[in-house]
């Protein structure tokens, strides 16, 4: 299920929610977002603000209510990322981003169940700041520490990895998702796209380990702060 929009171009203003079959049908003329039939999309709001927490909350509630029985759930953000200064920019609303605090509020207020994995096909989101919020809503975080090239993830591989995996016969689906996450990292780094780029990073992080990391990091920072010199050099 895809929620898309937030761009100043025909068909992309506001927000639309679509299933995979609707996305495929939408793509047949080479343009997205221009279907007019009553069943073209699951939801359509031409003036929705995708840089506001209300839109993310609406999508999360839609997923919670409409798809409650999936044992494995992978939620992905795709757009520009800039760590603690925000993710995604709605071009129709002065390029206003979703701040991490807004993402946190949207997840909390939606009552969304914990996802098996949350991913950011975006720059700079594999960070302490992002993990601090995502740890409450996912078992794993799949994201890039550095800037991502324009091509992003190879989505034909991402979708195939999940649609062809039988999680129902696995006694430990989270472990399977971890294996898939590692494979997606390798796929991204190994330059399988039709055009080349350099300087790529992608990692999968176990969010259950974050609290231990945070405790140890806070101890270092507390000690560092206590011993800072006020002298000028």
């Amino acid at each position: 299920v895809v929620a898309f929009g937030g761009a100043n171009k025909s068909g992309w203003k506001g927000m639309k929610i679509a299933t995979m079959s609707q996305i495929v049908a939408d793509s047949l003329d080479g343009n997205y977002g221009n279907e007019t039939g009553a069943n073209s999309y699951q939801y359509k709001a031409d003036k929705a603000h995708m840089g506001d927490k209300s839109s993310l909350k609406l999508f999360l509630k839609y997923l919670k209510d409409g798809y409650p029985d999936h044992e494995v759930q992978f939620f992905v953000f795709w757009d520009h990322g800039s760590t603690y200064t925000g993710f995604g920019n709605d071009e129709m609303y002065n390029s206003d981003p979703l701040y991490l605090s807004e993402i946190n509020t949207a997840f909390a207020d939606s009552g969304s169940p914990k996802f098996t994995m949350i991913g950011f096909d975006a720059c700079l989101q594999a960070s302490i700041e992002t993990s601090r919020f995502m740890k409450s809503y996912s078992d794993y975080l799949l994201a890039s520490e550095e800037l991502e090239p324009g091509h992003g993830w190879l989505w034909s591989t991402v979708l195939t990895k999940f649609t062809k995996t039988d999680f129902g016969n696995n006694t430990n689906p989270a472990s399977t998702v971890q294996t898939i996450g590692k494979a997606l990292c390798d796929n991204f780094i190994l330059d399988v796209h039709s055009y080349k780029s350099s300087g790529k990073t992608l990692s999968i992080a176990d969010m259950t380990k974050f609290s231990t990391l945070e405790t140890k990091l806070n101890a270092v920072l507390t000690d560092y702060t206590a011993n800072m010199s006020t002298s000028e050099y």
Side-chain angles (χ1 to χ4, degrees), residues 118-135:
I118 291 178
F120 283 87
D121 188 359
C123 296
L124 307 172
Q125 296 303 126
S127 66
I128 292 287
E129 293 86 355
T130 303
S131 299
R132 179 170 173 262
F133 292 110
M134 294 299 97
K135 67 179 175 64

Side-chain angles (χ1 to χ4, degrees), residues 34-219:
N34 63 344
E35 297 296 293
T36 57
N39 297 317
S40 296
Y41 308 103
Q42 299 296 102
Y43 172 85
K44 179 181 178 182
D46 292 333
K47 294 187 178 181
H49 178 2
M50 290 196 74
D52 188 85
K53 61 186 177 184
S54 61
S55 294
L56 176 57
K57 177 182 174 180
L58 184 149
F59 184 45
L60 288 167
K61 285 181 66 66
Y62 173 82
L63 295 176
K64 183 189 72 170
D65 297 339
Y67 300 86
D69 299 323
H70 290 274
E71 188 174 13
V72 172
Q73 296 186 333
F74 181 24
F75 190 92
V76 182
F77 293 89
W78 176 85
D79 199 356
H80 297 292
S82 53
T83 311
Y84 55 86
T85 58
F87 160 85
N89 303 86
D90 194 313
E91 295 179 348
M92 302 305 299
Y93 291 89
N94 200 31
S95 292
D96 182 41
L98 270 171
Y99 294 102
L100 287 178
S101 58
E102 290 184 287
I103 294 175
N104 179 61
T105 300
F107 273 94
D109 290 352
S110 69
S112 173
K114 198 172 188 179
F115 287 88
T116 316
M117 184 157 65
I118 291 178
F120 283 87
D121 188 359
C123 296
L124 307 172
Q125 296 303 126
S127 66
I128 292 287
E129 293 86 355
T130 303
S131 299
R132 179 170 173 262
F133 292 110
M134 294 299 97
K135 67 179 175 64
S136 299
Y137 310 113
S138 66
D139 296 319
Y140 298 100
L141 175 67
L142 185 67
S144 172
E145 180 185 16
E146 272 290 351
L147 299 175
E148 273 196 4
H151 57 63
W153 300 353
L154 188 62
W155 274 94
S156 56
T157 299
V158 173
L159 294 175
T160 300
K161 286 285 186 185
F162 276 86
T163 57
K164 292 190 174 182
T165 299
D166 185 1
F167 294 103
N169 293 327
N170 195 314
T171 57
N172 190 354
S175 177
T176 303
V177 170
Q178 182 186 98
T179 301
I180 290 176
K182 291 178 180 178
L184 295 179
C185 290
D186 291 341
N187 178 264
F188 179 68
I189 299 301
L190 289 175
D191 248 346
V192 295
H193 296 82
S194 58
Y195 53 97
K196 305 299 180 181
S197 55
S198 61
K200 293 188 292 187
T201 63
L202 192 63
S203 63
I204 178 170
D206 185 345
M207 292 292 95
T208 65
K209 307 287 181 64
F210 182 80
S211 294
T212 301
L213 171 64
E214 186 175 36
T215 298
K216 293 184 176 181
L217 180 61
N218 284 341

